[in-house]
Amino acid sequence: MKTKATLLIGTAVLALESCETKNYTEEDRITVTTNLENYVDSVESAVQMVPVHNWSLIDERYDSLDSRAEKVYNDLKVEDDNLEMIEERYETAVKNGKAQAENFERTADMHMNNVETWWDKTTADVEKGTKNTAEDIEDATQESLDWLEKNFDKLSDDTKKKYEEVTMKLQKD
């Protein structure tokens, strides 16, 4: 009787295991890996082109793709260092992107401060009766204005607003 029960339990376990089908295929694994690699490629490219990003959205999308890939890999019981390498690339891209963004913001602030300092100084002259003209702009200030204009689309909204205010006042004078 004991042997019969053991055989029945063994048969049931074997039947359950043989009925257990994988949800994913090797093609799914290749697809999720490719999707994750392509996303990291796009993040690496984006941080080189534009310094300001919404990192929470970028992280959210990466986490979604990574989670899907991990499900497929776990289901297929496949260990692949490729996912770890992709994650390292992603973390490096984010780290570099954030560092570039901080550097860009420091540079933008420096140029905006230069323009604002010049503007404050020359505005005092205007009150004394001296008119500001575009020809009166010092070389360093013109360099800052040129840099801000060139990088306008990449500037923070606050810096864009300040730049527009100064340039509008300069055009009026």
Side-chain angles (χ1 to χ4, degrees):
M1 186 71 163
K2 201 173 188 180
T3 306
K4 199 175 198 181
T6 304
L7 284 173
L8 282 174
I9 291 172
T11 303
V13 169
L14 185 59
L16 282 175
E17 280 193 32
S18 65
C19 289
E20 180 183 299
T21 58
K22 296 191 182 314
N23 294 324
Y24 302 103
T25 65
E26 179 63 18
E27 187 176 312
D28 293 327
R29 186 190 68 77
I30 292 169
T31 300
V32 296
T33 303
T34 301
N35 289 345
L36 195 57
E37 284 178 322
N38 289 342
Y39 185 72
V40 172
D41 289 344
S42 70
V43 170
E44 288 172 335
S45 296
V47 298
Q48 291 176 1
M49 291 188 296
V50 181
V52 181
H53 299 282
N54 184 336
W55 293 109
S56 59
L57 284 177
I58 291 171
D59 286 340
E60 196 175 290
R61 177 69 176 140
Y62 174 82
D63 290 343
S64 171
L65 290 169
D66 185 52
S67 175
R68 172 96 168 120
E70 286 179 6
K71 284 180 187 174
V72 171
Y73 276 71
N74 288 339
D75 184 64
L76 294 173
K77 295 180 174 80
V78 174
E79 287 191 33
D80 192 349
D81 294 334
N82 202 17
L83 287 182
E84 290 177 25
M85 290 180 358
I86 294 169
E87 182 177 5
E88 287 175 18
R89 280 183 50 218
Y90 174 73
E91 289 172 357
T92 300
V94 169
K95 178 182 167 190
N96 292 341
K98 287 181 178 181
Q100 288 175 354
E102 288 173 14
N103 187 42
F104 180 83
E105 286 301 318
R106 274 193 305 276
T107 304
D109 288 344
M110 177 200 68
H111 285 294
M112 197 66 235
N113 287 336
N114 185 25
V115 170
E116 289 176 322
T117 299
W118 173 83
W119 182 255
D120 290 343
K121 181 181 86 176
T122 57
T123 303
D125 289 341
V126 170
E127 291 170 3
K128 294 178 190 171
T130 306
K131 187 176 180 177
N132 275 337
T133 65
E135 294 87 39
D136 295 334
I137 297 175
E138 299 164 359
D139 289 344
T141 303
Q142 186 60 53
E143 182 180 322
S144 291
L145 284 168
D146 292 345
W147 187 93
L148 290 164
E149 181 179 2
K150 178 182 171 191
N151 292 287
F152 185 80
D153 292 336
K154 301 174 187 175
L155 298 173
S156 69
D157 291 340
D158 185 48
T159 304
K160 284 179 183 178
K161 182 179 175 189
K162 289 178 185 178
Y163 172 78
E164 287 174 333
E165 288 172 1
V166 169
T167 55
M168 287 173 97
K169 290 177 183 175
L170 271 175
Q171 291 171 357
K172 286 181 185 177
D173 291 339

